[in-house]
Amino acid sequence: MSSRTTFIEPFRAPLPDRFDVSDVTSEGAAWLASAGTHPQGTLALWARRPTLPVVLPCGTAFDVVSAPAVFGRRMLDRLWDEGPGSGPVATHRGRMLLFTAPGTARRLPPLLDREDREDRGAPARAVPPLLGHGPGDTVTVPAVRPARTTATHLSSRWLVAPDTRHPWLPGPEIVRWAAVRAARAAASAAVRISIFPPADLGAKVYDVSRRR
């Protein structure tokens, strides 16, 4: 198989976004393929069509937490700026896909509910609905090599690409922490904006330079 997996050499392009990297290594592709029941078949498919997104099952190699794109980006910022970092992360059709430890999809909702009930000053209720994909669910993952068309690249791409056979994956507690921090940051930004009174559209404006 070694001659058939050389296609998974890192694809590198100068991109301005610090997270926007599309480097899926051979080891990372092997990890992704291990989620399915026929890993060798998935690798063979990528060997023939490396720009093809594929559907993989969750619950064994990984779970996936799907968040709205903007809020998911805030979560990713918190994970990298204040936390332990993240596992692989992708975008797909306006959603941010965070690859997490198996079991996260089941355990995360109760953690967020408890945070909301205890009301520790963190706006857990401001966290938008996060979709958890675990056993019995599937997700579409971006291709191991980006398509050359801009539309395809923007609709489905890796932000933090798999690069090892055993990537570190955040568990439910870390994902909850990132979600609450992201909601808190969004609420603080809204408060800062609201302290400025709206402009008085009916106010008269005088040109003081013409006054004698």
Side-chain angles (χ1 to χ4, degrees), residues 110-201:
L111 288 177
L112 289 173
D113 289 343
R114 187 176 67 186
E115 185 78 31
D116 197 2
R117 289 195 305 270
E118 294 178 355
D119 192 20
R120 300 173 180 174
R125 61 179 56 88
V127 175
L130 303 178
L131 306 180
H133 302 284
D137 299 324
T138 59
V139 293
T140 300
V141 302
V144 294
R145 178 173 294 172
R148 299 299 180 181
T149 60
T150 303
T152 302
H153 175 70
L154 292 178
S155 65
S156 179
R157 72 185 192 275
W158 289 104
L159 299 185
V160 181
D163 61 358
T164 174
R165 289 179 180 268
H166 303 286
W168 178 82
L169 300 173
E173 293 84 2
I174 293 176
V175 176
R176 177 205 60 81
W177 172 87
V180 172
R181 286 295 185 98
R184 180 183 297 163
S188 298
V191 169
R192 287 196 298 271
I193 293 173
S194 67
I195 65 174
F196 296 100
D200 185 354
L201 299 180

